[in-house]
Amino acid sequence: MTDTLLPTVLYHCPCTGAMRHSDASNEPAEKRSKHSNDTKGSSQSERPPVDSRSALFSLRVSTLENLYYCDDCSSLRCTRCVVEEPAGYHCPNCLFEVNTTSVRSEKNSCARNCFQCPVCTHVLSVVESSEGERPFSLSCAVCCWNSREIGWEFEKATGISTQIERIRAAEVAPREYSALLDYWRTVQRVSTASAAAAVGAGSTGSFKQRLAVPSIGVVPEYKAIEGSSDTEQAHVAELVALENADYVSYASDPRCKEPQRIRLHMKLARRCCSCHHILIKPMPKAQATQFKIQLMAANFLPTITLPSRLSLKYSPQLLEGPFAVGRMLSVVLRFANPLYTEMKVDIASCLSGDVRVDVAARQFTLPPFTELWEYDEDEDEDSSGDYNANSDQRGGIVDRHGNRVAIQLSVTPLVPAPNLVIPLHITCLHIDDLVDGEKDGSSMAGSKPAGRKVTDSFWVYAVLGKVQ
């Protein structure tokens, strides 16, 4: 990473394999919870999974809004470690929904009156003319192309695809295509038989096979079917004698001037690469923009930001430009809880030769989220207020408001770098109230379920600025 990045907080996804040497792997929640308890209190026990000076740093980290969360694995997932599968097909022009069987039979194209102009690829419309026995044709409103130029005229304004198939069936090109397929299948059979006879020349079976092969050892020359023009015959002869497909000219092919059916669009569902749990599943309707399932990481993990007004009050050094090597500066990070349950946070700094980080508030609790705080007009999102809790300030906490807690870090750069990156290992613990008995409706009346403990462990990188 050589380019200077803007101050932000990036999250690391463990899908790259770089975390195999770290303790924050995709282990079950019980094992990771036990490990976090064993290593609690050790401030320099973790190593960052990705070197901030690596050229692949920007590919292995991402913002929280671009990550997914698997609640079965309790781990982050990015766009490179999910399995995509089709959730529905539809035409982008008429928004007609197509099932999977029709997609295969129709060759991934719309079977209705949806065609593209061969000149400008605009959508064609059916127009009516008073001339001729077939008054309907396809016309482009942009470049004024009309299907009458290639002899396509239709009797009805509906079922254009079926009428085009009848027109193509009367042409010589489809029959020529079928004849070419039969010819090359014969060539393939002869080549396979000749190669098998040449390999086993000393065996009895190959001797008997060679006795039957000479009758088909020579492939007859292909001849174009009757009824085709001289231009089409010359084009077929050129394709038969072809040795390199790079020299094929498709501009002279008359089929390139024909309108093509509009390709179908596909809605994708995404699954976890480890447990195949559904992460994203859109609504099947073509007009719908909602999701049936949407497990985004921002809805499960705390949002970590660099608040501007709190930084101006407690860490004015961040606004002074490039940082000096060996000079300690204060950094304020704010954690926001997106869940409706209380969340316990444990922070561990890492072993790094580029920066030394001292975290005073290693363990704290984030209050649950409630909708009432969204309508609080006394303080905006970036306001710090006058927070004078001496006990919290001595513990490293500089601000509390709603479901947000701001902590202060002491950072000392050790070497010059284009970006001052602070790697932190975060462990979050909360109680999931939606237990299996409550989900199935089998919980006893009057009994309160104990809930399930969920432990999430991940790495974050706070990018601050240039060190010189």
Side-chain angles (χ1 to χ4, degrees), residues 293-360:
I293 301 175
Q294 190 178 17
L295 302 181
M296 303 301 296
N299 299 329
F300 295 90
L301 300 180
T303 303
I304 306 175
T305 57
L306 295 166
S308 58
R309 295 190 180 181
L310 289 177
S311 299
L312 182 62
K313 180 179 180 180
Y314 293 97
S315 54
Q317 304 92 338
L318 295 179
L319 305 177
E320 296 179 358
F323 310 115
V325 176
R327 181 183 177 184
M328 186 182 69
L329 64 147
S330 299
V331 178
V332 177
L333 295 179
R334 185 169 61 188
F335 293 72
N337 184 10
L339 303 177
Y340 292 95
T341 59
E342 189 178 74
M343 179 183 294
K344 297 181 180 179
V345 180
D346 185 9
I347 304 178
S349 57
C350 66
L351 291 171
S352 177
D354 298 341
V355 61
R356 183 172 66 249
V357 183
D358 295 329
V359 184

Side-chain angles (χ1 to χ4, degrees), residues 205-451:
S206 63
F207 177 74
K208 294 180 180 180
Q209 187 178 8
R210 280 184 295 166
L211 293 178
V213 167
S215 60
I216 60 172
V218 179
V219 180
E221 183 179 358
Y222 178 79
K223 295 182 179 179
I225 62 176
E226 299 180 358
S228 59
S229 61
D230 297 339
T231 305
E232 292 179 347
Q233 291 182 5
H235 185 64
V236 171
E238 179 184 357
L239 295 179
V240 170
L242 183 65
E243 295 183 357
N244 191 350
D246 296 336
Y247 298 99
V248 178
S249 176
Y250 296 97
S252 60
D253 192 353
R255 296 182 64 88
C256 296
K257 302 178 182 179
E258 298 178 358
Q260 302 297 325
R261 293 190 294 174
I262 293 181
R263 296 292 181 179
L264 298 177
H265 283 194
M266 176 175 54
K267 285 188 174 183
L268 293 176
R270 295 182 174 181
R271 294 178 178 268
C272 177
C273 61
S274 300
C275 63
H276 296 280
H277 183 64
I278 298 179
L279 304 178
I280 297 293
K281 187 174 183 180
M283 298 291 290
K285 296 293 183 180
Q287 301 89 343
T289 57
Q290 296 83 9
F291 293 86
K292 282 187 176 181
I293 301 175
Q294 190 178 17
L295 302 181
M296 303 301 296
N299 299 329
F300 295 90
L301 300 180
T303 303
I304 306 175
T305 57
L306 295 166
S308 58
R309 295 190 180 181
L310 289 177
S311 299
L312 182 62
K313 180 179 180 180
Y314 293 97
S315 54
Q317 304 92 338
L318 295 179
L319 305 177
E320 296 179 358
F323 310 115
V325 176
R327 181 183 177 184
M328 186 182 69
L329 64 147
S330 299
V331 178
V332 177
L333 295 179
R334 185 169 61 188
F335 293 72
N337 184 10
L339 303 177
Y340 292 95
T341 59
E342 189 178 74
M343 179 183 294
K344 297 181 180 179
V345 180
D346 185 9
I347 304 178
S349 57
C350 66
L351 291 171
S352 177
D354 298 341
V355 61
R356 183 172 66 249
V357 183
D358 295 329
V359 184
R362 298 192 176 276
Q363 299 177 8
F364 55 91
T365 302
L366 292 176
F369 171 78
T370 58
E371 286 82 357
L372 296 177
W373 290 329
E374 294 183 354
Y375 303 98
D376 189 2
E377 300 179 356
D378 295 336
E379 297 178 356
D380 57 7
E381 184 183 5
D382 247 353
S383 64
S384 60
D386 295 327
Y387 188 72
N388 296 320
N390 296 328
S391 59
D392 276 352
Q393 289 184 356
R394 287 194 298 267
I397 298 177
V398 297
D399 180 66
R400 287 182 183 268
H401 177 66
N403 63 327
R404 303 188 295 266
V405 174
I407 65 172
Q408 189 174 10
L409 311 178
S410 298
V411 181
T412 304
L414 302 180
V415 294
N419 292 283
L420 177 58
V421 180
I422 304 175
L424 297 173
H425 184 251
I426 311 296
T427 303
C428 302
L429 175 64
H430 70 276
I431 305 298
D432 188 5
D433 294 335
L434 297 178
V435 296
D436 296 337
E438 186 178 352
K439 292 178 183 179
D440 299 337
S442 60
S443 58
M444 299 297 294
S447 62
K448 184 177 180 180

Side-chain angles (χ1 to χ4, degrees), residues 126-138 146-148 152-158 160 163:
V126 181
V127 296
E128 184 179 3
S129 176
S130 59
E131 301 177 358
E133 299 179 356
R134 298 178 178 180
F136 298 98
S137 62
L138 295 175
N146 196 284
S147 62
R148 298 180 185 274
W152 282 14
E153 298 176 353
F154 312 103
E155 300 176 354
K156 300 182 297 182
T158 58
I160 300 296
Q163 299 181 61

Side-chain angles (χ1 to χ4, degrees), residues 190-201:
V190 172
S191 301
T192 304
S194 302
V199 169

Side-chain angles (χ1 to χ4, degrees), residues 56 142 144 172 186 223 239 377 388:
L56 300 177
V142 177
C144 299
V172 182
T186 304
K223 295 182 179 179
L239 295 179
E377 300 179 356
N388 296 320

